[in-house]
């Protein structure tokens, strides 16, 4: 294994949580659009007094976009993350709980959101987690997954990669123009 691969494998949010929001938006230009889409998808599934899990809550973006619906419907929001630094830096509704999303003792829920979380888990762990979530999801509920995966070759994959790259290039050009 190369040094770079080892560093990537051993990478954590330790000492990085404060810069997470800026970093993720820089690397994934579609991040805010995907966050807004999660809110639009989740809203119809959150009943009065419902329960919502945010697996891998990071800085609390999902919770913040769902906050008006959670408040209006008096729904419980459970934010989970495995990084102590991230839990301390959390800025969403309620408080974040430091927990391994793969082994957390889930209670029955209406909505679970895994936003850029499952990609960090081994395939076998993902399968077990999804099976657990399906068994705890209340009838009429939803499990919403947003992942960044290396996709197979083809048109949709190429278009997504080009869009992401194009947005990064445009942002850099915009920044360079500001400094002229």
């Amino acid at each position: 294994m190369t040094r770079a691969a080892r560093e990537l494998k051993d990478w954590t949010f330790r000492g990085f949580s404060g810069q997470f929001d800026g970093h993720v938006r820089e690397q994934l230009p579609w991040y805010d659009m995907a966050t807004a889409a999660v809110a639009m998808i989740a809203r119809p599934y959150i009943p009065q007094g419902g329960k919502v899990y945010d697996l891998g809550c990071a800085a609390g973006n999902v919770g913040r976009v769902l906050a008006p619906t959670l408040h209006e419907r008096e729904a419980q929001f459970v934010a989970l993350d495995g990084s102590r630094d991230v839990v301390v830096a959390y800025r969403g509704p309620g408080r974040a709980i430091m927990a391994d999303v793969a082994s957390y003792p889930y209670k029955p829920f209406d909505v679970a959101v895994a936003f850029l979380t499952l990609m960090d888990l081994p395939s076998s762990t993902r399968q077990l987690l999804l099976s657990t979530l399906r068994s705890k999801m209340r009838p009429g509920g939803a499990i919403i997954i947003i992942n960044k995966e290396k996709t197979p070759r083809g048109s949709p994959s190429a278009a997504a990669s080009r869009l992401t790259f194009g947005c990064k290039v445009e942002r850099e050009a915009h920044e360079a123009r500001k400094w002229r």
Side-chain angles (χ1 to χ4, degrees), residues 7-88:
E7 287 174 0
L8 190 56
K9 179 180 175 282
D10 296 335
W11 187 87
T12 69
F13 281 100
R14 184 170 295 129
F16 183 69
S17 58
Q19 294 94 14
F20 177 79
D21 271 352
H23 171 76
V24 76
R25 282 173 177 80
E26 178 183 300
Q27 295 302 311
L28 307 172
W30 45 263
Y31 186 79
D32 288 324
M33 183 175 63
T35 303
V38 166
M40 288 189 318
I41 294 165
R43 282 184 191 116
Y45 295 96
I46 302 172
Q48 187 69 29
K51 184 173 208 160
V52 177
Y53 281 108
D54 182 3
L55 287 68
C57 63
N61 290 331
V62 169
R64 287 193 301 272
V65 298
L66 288 176
T69 303
L70 297 168
H71 179 75
E72 171 189 309
R73 300 182 188 167
E74 300 175 327
Q76 181 185 7
F77 187 75
V78 181
L80 306 171
D81 204 289
S83 168
R84 180 171 304 286
D85 284 2
V86 169
V87 168
V88 169

Side-chain angles (χ1 to χ4, degrees), residues 110-179:
D110 301 288
V111 175
V113 178
F115 193 103
L116 300 175
T117 301
L118 298 183
M119 64 191 193
D120 294 327
L121 301 175
S123 180
S124 59
T125 304
R126 272 186 253 168
Q127 291 171 352
L128 288 171
L129 173 57
L130 290 172
S131 178
T132 297
L133 292 174
R134 279 192 301 270
S135 74
K136 296 296 183 175
M137 184 177 62
R138 292 181 179 135
I143 300 168
I144 302 168
I145 300 167
I146 302 291
N147 248 9
K148 182 178 182 265
E149 297 280 341
K150 187 165 178 81
T151 55
R153 297 180 92 114
S155 263
S157 173
S161 293
R162 288 179 185 142
L163 176 63
T164 299
F165 182 73
C167 288
K168 288 180 181 182
V169 169
E170 178 59 32
R171 184 178 42 247
E172 291 301 318
H174 177 73
E175 289 297 315
R177 284 191 296 270
K178 285 185 352 187
W179 293 103

